[in-house]
Amino acid sequence: MARTHYIAGNWKMNTRKAEAVALAKDLVEQLKGKTNKYMIGVPFVYLDAVAQVVKGSNIILAAQDCAATANGAHTGEVSTEMLKDIGVQCVILGHSERRHEIGESDELINKKVRRALNEGLEVDLCIGELLAEREAGEAEQVCAFQLSADLAGVTEEQMKRVTIAYEPVWAIGTGKTATPEDAEAIHKFIRGYIAKLYNQKVADEIIIQYGGSMKASNAPELLAQPDIDGGLIGGASLKAETFVPICVL
């Protein structure tokens, strides 16, 4: 089944306000009229400024996290209501850096996923294994557990607003990447497991991105694989000259 490529940039804890606005303007101009699906995950403090730039364009604005609860006495948290209020359309959840640096559990991630979906936002859900888990032959087991736990209570209808980003943790920010064949094998497994959790129609339609150091040099081979539908891109998304070439493939 042909699926639209979905190329997403995760800016992580990078840029200053002027840089964020300038990069967003470059992307709006250079991706105008292009037919793939595009998203940028912007630091909380610059979301409002970037929202003004991408409004009305073909670029989806995403936050890099959200609170699992509604507005209230939750110091330091940012609610889905606040994000929607400034034009955010999507939330990146379950990223390995939040799982392993911040210590987010699958139970918490699931609460955030359901909160975002119940508020009408899209979710880009990240899953993936550590190097030790891959070397122990547990990559599929880890991905299956995360999918089951993180999507618990998510309806078939809500799955239309879910994207899965497979990010082998050992390949993030290390310069390492899975071979296209290795990446495809896990993507194919993920699609099959989604079919078990839901049905074949949901599995056929869901977009599964590769999130392990995709860049212009390896993107063509990765995106040529039948079950790799796009990329969740970190470092290469911080400059238009390195991000746009991937976007237009």
Side-chain angles (χ1 to χ4, degrees), residues 44 47-48 51-52 55 61-63 65-66 71 78-91 115-122 161:
F44 279 134
L47 279 168
D48 200 7
Q52 310 309 312
K55 185 177 181 179
L61 180 64
D65 188 32
C66 72
N71 295 327
V78 178
S79 72
T80 50
E81 293 93 333
M82 293 172 177
L83 296 175
K84 287 173 60 180
D85 190 44
I86 59 171
V88 170
Q89 302 151 284
C90 177
V91 184
R115 167 65 57 179
L117 291 173
N118 288 340
E119 289 293 328
L121 293 167
E122 294 186 24
R161 288 184 280 115

Side-chain angles (χ1 to χ4, degrees), residues 47-74:
L47 279 168
D48 200 7
V50 172
Q52 310 309 312
V53 177
V54 302
K55 185 177 181 179
S57 75
N58 61 343
I59 298 174
I60 293 168
L61 180 64
Q64 298 174 19
D65 188 32
C66 72
T69 55
N71 295 327
H74 308 289

